[in-house]
Amino acid sequence: MEKISWVIRKKDCMGCHACEVACKQEHGLGVGPRLIQVREESPDFIPIYCHHCARPPCRDACPVEAITRNDQGIVLIDEALCIGCRDCVEACPFGAMQFENGREVAVKCDLCIERLDDGKTPACLSICPTGCIRVGEKKSIAAVFERTP
């Protein structure tokens, strides 16, 4: 099975936060967790997102093995196993792991795995007006960005 990667070309992000809104709607998230975040560090906008690491520190930190990496390379949380200890949140070097207080579980981007399974693109990518978000096979993503000024 092909490994899926995603890349955000930060220089093209205009800080509209459409990706955040689309993600919250797709995952039914209320106030609090943002599985993709856009921070303003004037004059730039810095997207914060899960990198779906090959060796996820969040997975290594989880005491109950609720975090796995599937055959496509997508790092997933089994919320039924999560005990809400937040060790994974602390371990994430990108600040991408979040905690949902209402349900007392860790949450993170799953690249909209259900949408991918249906042949659709992740919600954030489908709404991004600048096209700075790319999802697919790593080499093909890099090639697209190399051809784009």
Side-chain angles (χ1 to χ4, degrees):
M1 182 170 280
E2 182 180 323
K3 299 279 187 212
I4 294 177
S5 297
W6 76 325
V7 175
I8 298 178
R9 190 156 76 171
K10 295 174 184 171
K11 72 176 192 160
D12 291 340
C13 179
M14 64 182 201
C16 69
H17 300 272
C19 56
E20 289 184 14
V21 173
C23 179
K24 279 189 163 288
Q25 288 176 336
E26 181 68 26
H27 294 284
L29 297 171
V31 175
R34 295 181 294 162
L35 307 187
I36 184 169
Q37 305 168 50
V38 178
R39 296 185 183 158
E40 185 173 356
E41 293 182 15
S42 193
D44 300 316
F45 296 99
I46 310 297
I48 307 296
Y49 56 96
C50 178
H51 290 241
H52 298 277
C53 303
R55 293 181 137 157
C58 59
R59 180 185 65 191
D60 295 342
C62 181
V64 295
E65 299 180 3
I67 301 172
T68 58
R69 189 166 184 264
N70 74 6
D71 291 340
Q72 293 175 295
I74 301 171
V75 177
L76 302 165
I77 300 173
D78 183 337
E79 293 179 4
L81 294 177
C82 180
I83 59 173
C85 69
R86 303 179 195 204
D87 288 353
C88 57
V89 175
E90 295 297 321
C92 178
F94 304 106
M97 188 70 75
Q98 302 285 299
F99 190 77
E100 191 171 351
N101 287 317
R103 295 186 307 130
E104 299 297 315
V105 295
V107 292
K108 61 170 284 313
C109 167
D110 63 4
L111 279 178
C112 292
I113 194 164
E114 291 177 3
R115 289 175 61 97
L116 290 175
D117 289 347
D118 287 342
K120 299 176 185 174
T121 60
C124 59
L125 184 149
S126 69
I127 198 73
C128 180
T130 65
C132 70
I133 303 171
R134 300 287 179 169
V135 174
E137 196 274 323
K138 196 171 195 171
K139 289 178 187 173
S140 65
I141 295 170
V144 168
F145 281 151
E146 286 172 5
R147 291 190 304 264
T148 309

